[in-house]
Amino acid sequence: MSKKKIVLAYSGGLDTSVIIKWLMERDYEVICYMGDVGQGADTKIGKERALQIGAKKCIVGDLKKEFITGYAFKALKAGALYQGKYNLATALSRPLIAEAMVRVAEKEKASAVAHGCTGKGNDQVRFEVTFHQKAPKLEVIAPVREWELTTRESEVDYAKKHKIPIEQTKKRLYSIDVNLWGISVESGKLEDPWTEPPKDTYISITDPEKAPGKAKYITVTFKKGVPVAINGRKYDPVKLVAKLNEIGGAHGVGRVDMIEDRLVGIKSREVYEAPASEILYTAHTALEELVLDRETRRHKVLLAERYAELVYYGLWFTPLKSSIDAFVDSTQKDVSGDVKLKLYKGSVTVAGRKSPKSRYNKKLATYGKGDIFDQSLAKGFIDLWAMPYRK
Ligand code: ARG
């Protein structure tokens, strides 16, 4: 009988490297899949390592463009932030990677898929919900959830025993997930909510205290809710985000430190770094303030929270999420224009906004010359407004 084929979500790190061998010991033929969402890991080295350990194949998929345009920018347009703070960078990448793995599994005629998530986190849910939706017949294996290698020492021992190359034998300080849209850092010293994030938790952002003492101004241009240019220069979506990460990161912008509620019921401490996203959320909101009518703005805020929850809960490929996307897209037809931003020692503030679709009417708003607002109408308006509450 031929071996069962399994597609593994492979990162190149210790856990998933050990998983290759662990699956081989259980008689699987392992096909590794590395989804490149801008984590900056060397996929070439990863691929070599996977093959050296004994994977049959290692397939690398460039998902960066799809990740930014089909996932991150959708969340941006919706204004989605989980519990008001987290831009969902990790959460957004999971359904995309899982779907890509399903495609590989179909092509390779694999009967199973595997991932390296623990049984305590959200990511296992996001991967597996997508597997169940896209290919319900695939067997799903989560080695870290069931194996006996429960300590780092036992994992390192196992790796040594099986000649699995490990680069960083030194103690792993934090658990870090990186992609273009953001970096998630947890565990280690961060597990004490009273402890200020140590300096060594800064991965890509300059410590605001060490950022330049002179503010930097940039202008971001949006077309239908999507950012298209910086300082008048057009960028493709992936380069635009990379550029804003660089500029924002240099000024200490984009750090979030929060206690969040995981889907599995645990509160956890997380530190995030997402300079581009912080700049873009700030700018996008400023533009919406200018162009959207009051009731649309108000309704959109309600849906933003639901949207963030759906993404966080792994419910990306669901009817409600698609319906909210449709609503959001219809609100974005006028969200075009420029936003001027000031970056300074960790903060990003709006310094100006303009749009050909602006609803701001200076003639109505002004307290100066040229006022066309008929103040005599206000009395009748207020009398009726208050009528139901008058004794
Ligand atoms: N808490 C975040 C989420 O559930 C990030 C999870 C991954 N974090 C990590 N440091 N490995 O989306």
Side-chain angles (χ1 to χ4, degrees):
M1 214 181 78
S2 67
K3 284 187 181 179
K4 284 202 276 185
K5 275 193 197 177
I6 190 163
V7 177
L8 164 68
Y10 184 64
S11 72
L14 177 67
D15 288 342
T16 50
S17 292
V18 168
I19 290 175
I20 297 176
K21 200 79 197 179
W22 189 89
L23 290 168
M24 288 166 61
E25 280 186 327
R26 277 148 193 83
D27 237 17
Y28 283 100
E29 182 178 304
V30 182
I31 297 163
C32 289
Y33 179 77
M34 299 182 86
D36 183 1
V37 282
Q39 56 270 54
D42 196 327
T43 45
K44 236 169 130 186
I45 295 178
K47 189 171 173 168
E48 276 167 25
R49 180 173 304 160
L51 297 175
Q52 188 193 335
I53 297 166
K56 193 79 188 169
K57 270 188 196 174
C58 182
I59 297 163
V60 180
D62 184 356
L63 305 176
K64 293 195 287 292
K65 181 152 184 243
E66 203 182 344
F67 179 51
I68 294 303
T69 58
Y71 291 74
F73 284 179
K74 280 192 176 164
L76 170 68
K77 285 192 279 184
L81 291 172
Y82 183 64
Q83 298 190 319
K85 290 171 108 176
Y86 165 42
N87 82 339
L88 299 153
T90 298
L92 286 162
S93 72
R94 299 317 190 203
L96 172 63
I97 296 169
E99 198 192 22
M101 286 171 68
V102 168
R103 284 198 299 264
V104 171
E106 278 162 1
K107 195 157 162 261
E108 300 289 335
K109 300 200 169 35
S111 62
V113 280
H115 61 71
C117 309
T118 73
K120 295 175 75 167
N122 299 308
D123 284 332
Q124 53 174 344
V125 182
R126 299 166 185 150
F127 272 113
E128 290 179 39
V129 167
T130 306
F131 294 148
H132 292 325
Q133 288 175 314
K134 300 285 170 183
K137 292 211 175 91
L138 283 177
E139 182 191 5
V140 181
I141 315 264
V144 178
R145 221 156 51 191
E146 56 177 271
W147 69 19
E148 53 297 343
L149 308 172
T150 49
T151 62
R152 176 156 170 98
E153 289 69 35
S154 57
E155 231 183 300
V156 170
D157 286 347
Y158 181 96
K160 282 188 183 144
K161 193 171 129 208
H162 292 92
K163 301 201 164 43
I164 294 166
I166 27 176
E167 277 166 355
Q168 1 76 296
T169 30
K170 69 170 193 286
K171 204 166 146 38
R172 183 167 37 185
L173 290 174
Y174 305 99
S175 160
I176 301 170
D177 181 66
V178 181
N179 66 47
L180 247 181
W181 197 232
I183 299 178
S184 309
V185 189
E186 63 184 15
S187 83
K189 290 185 193 136
L190 294 171
E191 282 177 2
D192 178 358
W194 182 249
T195 299
E196 184 180 3
K199 301 282 182 206
D200 63 2
T201 57
Y202 283 93
I203 311 294
S204 68
I205 294 184
T206 303
D207 183 343
E209 285 170 24
K210 294 195 183 124
K214 192 165 172 283
K216 183 175 180 76
Y217 286 86
I218 57 167
T219 300
V220 178
T221 305
F222 287 82
K223 237 189 198 135
K224 292 190 178 12
V226 170
V228 292
I230 306 166
N231 296 333
R233 194 174 148 197
K234 286 212 160 96
Y235 286 89
D236 77 51
V238 169
K239 292 216 175 85
L240 183 133
V241 170
K243 185 79 191 163
L244 289 179
N245 274 334
E246 184 191 311
I247 302 173
H251 286 269
V253 166
R255 236 183 176 225
V256 169
D257 175 1
M258 71 188 283
I259 303 287
E260 74 186 37
D261 289 282
R262 284 192 197 160
L263 186 53
V264 295
I266 302 170
K267 277 197 187 291
S268 79
R269 166 79 170 292
E270 299 274 352
V271 171
Y272 297 108
E273 290 188 3
S277 151
E278 171 133 7
I279 292 169
L280 291 172
Y281 270 76
T282 304
H284 182 260
T285 306
L287 201 53
E288 286 193 330
E289 289 169 5
L290 195 65
V291 302
L292 294 186
D293 65 283
R294 179 178 64 195
E295 297 310 313
T296 302
R297 277 180 72 185
R298 168 151 164 55
H299 196 66
K300 204 170 164 281
V301 170
L302 301 175
L303 292 178
E305 194 176 355
R306 287 299 284 130
Y307 196 91
E309 285 164 0
L310 293 172
V311 175
Y312 193 85
Y313 299 167
L315 303 177
W316 179 263
F317 296 108
T318 57
L320 178 57
K321 193 259 162 201
S322 303
S323 299
I324 301 179
D325 275 331
F327 167 80
V328 167
D329 277 340
S330 91
T331 66
Q332 298 297 293
K333 66 179 199 310
D334 288 345
V335 186
S336 300
D338 293 332
V339 182
K340 188 166 55 182
L341 302 134
K342 180 180 180 174
L343 315 179
Y344 179 67
K345 285 197 174 285
S347 74
V348 46
T349 44
V350 176
R353 64 293 261 167
K354 62 177 178 189
S355 166
K357 301 287 188 178
S358 171
R359 284 174 183 272
Y360 179 85
N361 185 343
K362 189 163 177 217
K363 289 200 191 106
L364 290 174
T366 186
Y367 286 101
K369 266 213 296 258
D371 182 10
I372 60 163
F373 187 91
D374 183 352
Q375 299 196 30
S376 71
L377 297 176
K379 183 181 179 312
F381 167 73
I382 299 163
D383 286 350
L384 289 180
W385 181 247
M387 189 173 66
Y389 310 106
R390 270 171 89 136
K391 291 250 169 68

